[in-house]
Amino acid sequence: MTLCRHFLSTYSHVVSARVRVETVNGWTRMTKEGSQHRHAFISSPKCTRYAEVFQKRNRDPEVAAGLSGLRVLKTTQSSFVDFHRCPNTTLPDAEDRILSTVISAEWKYSDLTGVDYCATWELVQDAILDTFAGPPVTGIASPSVQLTLYDSERLVLGKVKQISEMKMSLPNVHYFEFDMGRFHNPALQNTKNVFLPTDKPSGIIQATLRRNQLSKL
């Protein structure tokens, strides 16, 4: 917002400004045998955090924030069955499967009063991860990626009244059980321990959830 105000106040020919700021990859100091290296680091990105502000001259700023590249996986409590089929459907029912995706999320603020942007970003990330994983001991069932996405957005809007809408993208990152039978070796058996990651074919699940706009009449 400060940069937007700078450009609008400094240059009379500028009628609007849009500023997007992203975090760079985090760095963790290398450690060996309990000792931290003095000057060597390893990249440790969890995801990319960003914020975007758009402002027109003599108008209030429009503020959005988000995250991208949040790669997650759980090995059970995910299913996808009894879905709509057509003559071209080849995807079988999956009673229990690996669920993996790379989460992108963006939310918009309708009210900037009293917003702690850093705390809100952490809250949103935690809400997404809690919905995906559930409690550490029991986990949580996910009957579809679509429902997990919707529940995440609903939880965030319930926790932060200043957020007016949220959109998310969860592309499928499939892990299929590898067929050891092709080697014709009885000693090689896959007891659901070896999975082959693949990104094709796959789907991209996207949705936007926004608050109802109450009539002023």
Side-chain angles (χ1 to χ4, degrees):
M1 286 187 285
T2 301
L3 287 173
C4 284
R5 287 195 296 267
H6 163 73
F7 290 117
L8 292 170
S9 62
T10 304
Y11 304 104
S12 60
H13 58 282
V14 174
V15 296
S16 66
R18 184 185 301 273
V19 177
R20 180 184 174 101
V21 179
E22 295 185 0
T23 58
V24 297
N25 288 348
W27 294 97
T28 301
R29 193 179 298 275
M30 288 186 181
T31 302
K32 186 173 183 179
E33 297 177 354
S35 298
Q36 292 187 338
H37 200 285
R38 294 180 61 187
H39 56 262
F41 298 80
I42 186 170
S43 178
S44 57
K46 185 176 182 180
C47 64
T48 298
R49 174 185 175 181
Y50 66 88
E52 184 171 297
V53 177
F54 175 73
Q55 186 171 11
K56 292 182 178 180
R57 186 177 298 280
N58 300 321
R59 298 287 185 88
D60 292 331
E62 300 174 12
V63 180
L67 58 86
S68 62
L70 182 59
R71 192 178 187 97
V72 292
L73 178 149
K74 64 179 183 181
T75 57
T76 188
Q77 287 191 308
S78 172
S79 60
F80 194 50
V81 299
D82 299 329
F83 47 87
H84 176 75
R85 286 178 167 81
C86 74
N88 298 316
T89 301
T90 60
L91 185 68
D93 280 351
E95 296 285 350
D96 191 28
R97 63 176 182 173
I98 291 176
L99 174 56
S100 180
T101 185
V102 183
I103 299 172
S104 297
E106 182 175 297
W107 51 96
K108 295 181 179 179
Y109 294 96
S110 57
D111 181 7
L112 306 183
T113 305
V115 176
D116 184 330
Y117 296 104
C118 291
T120 301
W121 191 91
E122 294 289 348
L123 183 151
V124 172
Q125 179 184 235
D126 289 345
I128 292 172
L129 295 177
D130 288 346
T131 304
F132 176 84
V137 176
T138 60
I140 188 171
S142 173
S144 70
V145 178
Q146 289 85 343
L147 181 61
T148 297
L149 184 157
Y150 171 74
D151 286 344
S152 297
E153 293 178 333
R154 186 179 179 185
L155 180 60
V156 169
L157 265 63
K159 286 179 173 289
V160 187
K161 64 180 181 180
Q162 294 95 333
I163 293 178
S164 58
E165 70 174 63
M166 182 174 179
K167 63 180 179 181
M168 294 180 65
S169 174
L170 277 70
N172 282 320
V173 181
H174 291 298
Y175 286 79
F176 295 119
E177 189 173 351
F178 187 75
D179 180 16
M180 292 290 194
R182 67 183 68 182
F183 297 112
H184 307 290
N185 185 344
L188 295 176
Q189 295 186 11
N190 186 3
T191 56
K192 296 187 180 297
N193 288 321
V194 181
F195 294 86
L196 180 67
T198 179
D199 60 351
K200 296 179 179 61
S202 66
I204 299 178
I205 294 85
Q206 297 175 324
T208 300
L209 187 64
R210 60 176 58 92
R211 299 184 189 278
N212 289 328
Q213 297 296 323
L214 299 178
S215 174
K216 298 182 179 179
L217 298 179

